[in-house]
């Protein structure tokens, strides 16, 4: 039976990520931009949602070059391209930049054939897991004013509109809505995230969402 799970993005995911990206955005990031992010940006963190039935894939992630200090060493840049092991298909991706004490969501997209199945929510739970791991105080993002679907998703996770960046998007001069969460350690946000995780697990037919971050950490520490 196919399983769906979160994982750190790897360089050899970039063909699939680019395909999703091209379909999802008017101005997609080229794979060269992702490559730079994964290799060089020490404050960038990218995740994917994978689908497959290869349990082996969950433990066959090659050894990354560790460039970060514990406890974030498991979030090192992705493995070099020649270090390819088996990996399952990518259905969506998301990323954040750590900016001082904030986490800034840079992207989130799900393959068009797999939307409205909870994978966008799954990616957001991963983003919040990372944000907490990075000890970010709060999470922020910009979203096109016309992108009601994404805004609804964000509101479900406690984001609130706090302002507008006029003509933020260069392709059509569309305004961006700026959204922020409350502090992640607030009881309000903790309650929202717990509820989201519970409802999403139910939607995905799981008893509870797996602790993917611990798995990623333990694989890296073993390697
Ligand atoms: C936004 C996006 C990532 C959502 O992914 P998804 O897997 O379809 O989202 P989910 O199935 O987890 O949706 C969760 C909730 O978000 C809201 N939502 C998502 N898409 C929606 C849409 N098109 N219309 C209305 N609500 C929507 C709903 O509340 C939905 O819950 P429901 O299905 O129980 O009603 C996806 O539509 C996408 O890739 N869009 C193109 C890229 C993009 O716009 N990214 C956001 C940039 S800021």
């Amino acid at each position: 039976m196919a399983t769906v799970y979160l994982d750190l993005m790897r360089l050899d995911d970039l063909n699939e990520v680019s395909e999703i990206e091209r379909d999802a955005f008017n101005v997609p990031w080229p794979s060269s931009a992702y490559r730079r992010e994964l290799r060089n940006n020490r404050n960038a963190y990218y995740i994917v949602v994978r689908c497959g039935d290869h349990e082996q894939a969950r433990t066959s992630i090659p050894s990354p070059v560790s460039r970060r200090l514990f406890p974030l060493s498991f979030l090192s840049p992705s493995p070099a391209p020649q270090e390819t092991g088996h990996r399952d298909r990518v259905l969506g991706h998301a990323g954040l930049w750590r900016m001082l004490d904030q986490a800034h969501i840079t992207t989130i997209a799900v393959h068009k054939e797999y939307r409205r199945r909870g994978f966008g929510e799954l990616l957001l739970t991963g983003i919040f897991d990372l944000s907490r791991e990075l000890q970010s105080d709060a999470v922020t993002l910009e979203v096109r004013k016309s992108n009601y679907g994404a805004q609804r998703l964000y509101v479900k996770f406690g984001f609130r509109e706090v302002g507008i960046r006029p003509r933020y998007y260069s392709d059509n001069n569309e305004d961006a809505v700026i959204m922020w969460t409350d502090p992640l350690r607030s009881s309000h946000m903790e309650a929202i995230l717990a509820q989201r995780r519970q409802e999403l697990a139910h939607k995905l037919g799981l008893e509870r969402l797996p602790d993917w971050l611990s798995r990623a950490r333990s694989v890296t520490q073993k390697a």
Side-chain angles (χ1 to χ4, degrees):
M1 196 178 109
T3 51
V4 170
Y5 59 100
L6 291 171
D7 199 0
L8 297 174
M9 188 189 289
R10 296 163 42 168
L11 286 170
D12 55 359
D13 290 325
L14 293 188
N15 286 344
E16 288 162 285
V17 167
S18 294
E19 193 191 319
I20 295 169
E21 187 84 12
R22 277 195 298 274
D23 188 71
F25 298 111
N26 293 353
V27 188
W29 277 13
S31 51
S32 56
Y34 275 101
R35 198 166 295 117
R36 266 197 308 277
E37 286 283 276
L38 293 176
R39 282 185 172 146
N40 304 331
N41 188 345
R42 296 172 65 85
N43 290 310
Y45 299 86
Y46 289 89
I47 58 174
V48 292
V49 56
R50 295 191 198 280
C51 175
D53 51 4
H54 299 273
E55 184 62 28
Q56 180 64 20
R58 298 168 180 235
T59 54
S60 67
I61 300 170
S63 159
V65 181
S66 179
R67 294 188 206 148
R68 292 172 206 267
L69 294 174
F70 185 83
L72 300 177
S73 53
F74 75 98
L75 295 175
S76 309
S78 284
Q82 66 272 21
E83 293 177 297
T84 52
H86 173 83
R87 55 167 187 66
D88 286 322
R89 181 172 178 200
V90 173
L91 302 184
H93 59 276
L96 67 78
W97 286 338
R98 176 169 52 166
M99 299 175 83
L100 300 175
D101 52 0
Q102 309 153 12
H104 190 129
I105 297 182
T106 54
T107 189
I108 179 168
V110 171
H111 191 294
K112 64 176 177 207
E113 285 168 23
Y114 295 91
R115 289 184 189 158
R116 297 308 286 270
R117 301 184 193 193
F119 300 150
E121 289 195 51
L122 185 60
L123 284 164
L124 265 189
T125 64
I127 288 288
F128 278 101
D129 290 340
L130 283 175
S131 304
R132 280 195 294 217
E133 183 78 18
L134 295 165
Q135 297 179 1
S136 302
D137 281 348
V139 185
T140 183
L141 56 85
E142 284 101 13
V143 53
R144 284 180 191 262
K145 205 170 172 185
S146 63
N147 195 346
Y148 301 116
Q151 286 170 37
R152 277 190 62 184
L153 169 63
Y154 301 141
V155 166
K156 271 179 131 174
F157 277 77
F159 285 90
R160 281 191 297 220
E161 180 176 337
V162 298
I164 296 286
R165 285 194 212 289
R167 299 179 297 286
Y168 182 74
Y169 295 98
S170 56
D171 60 317
N172 63 356
N173 287 329
E174 184 170 354
D175 293 349
V177 177
I178 307 165
M179 302 184 91
W180 276 93
T181 63
D182 282 344
L184 297 185
R185 279 183 289 271
S186 65
S187 51
H188 171 64
M189 277 308 290
E190 282 187 354
I192 288 178
L193 292 175
Q195 190 186 352
R196 291 271 56 88
R197 294 177 71 86
Q198 197 180 2
E199 288 181 15
L200 180 58
H202 182 69
K203 196 178 201 171
L204 298 176
L206 301 168
E207 204 175 309
R208 61 189 152 78
L209 294 186
D211 182 359
W212 72 279
L213 208 43
S214 291
R215 182 176 56 76
R217 190 188 291 116
S218 70
V219 167
T220 304
Q221 283 173 351
K222 261 188 268 162

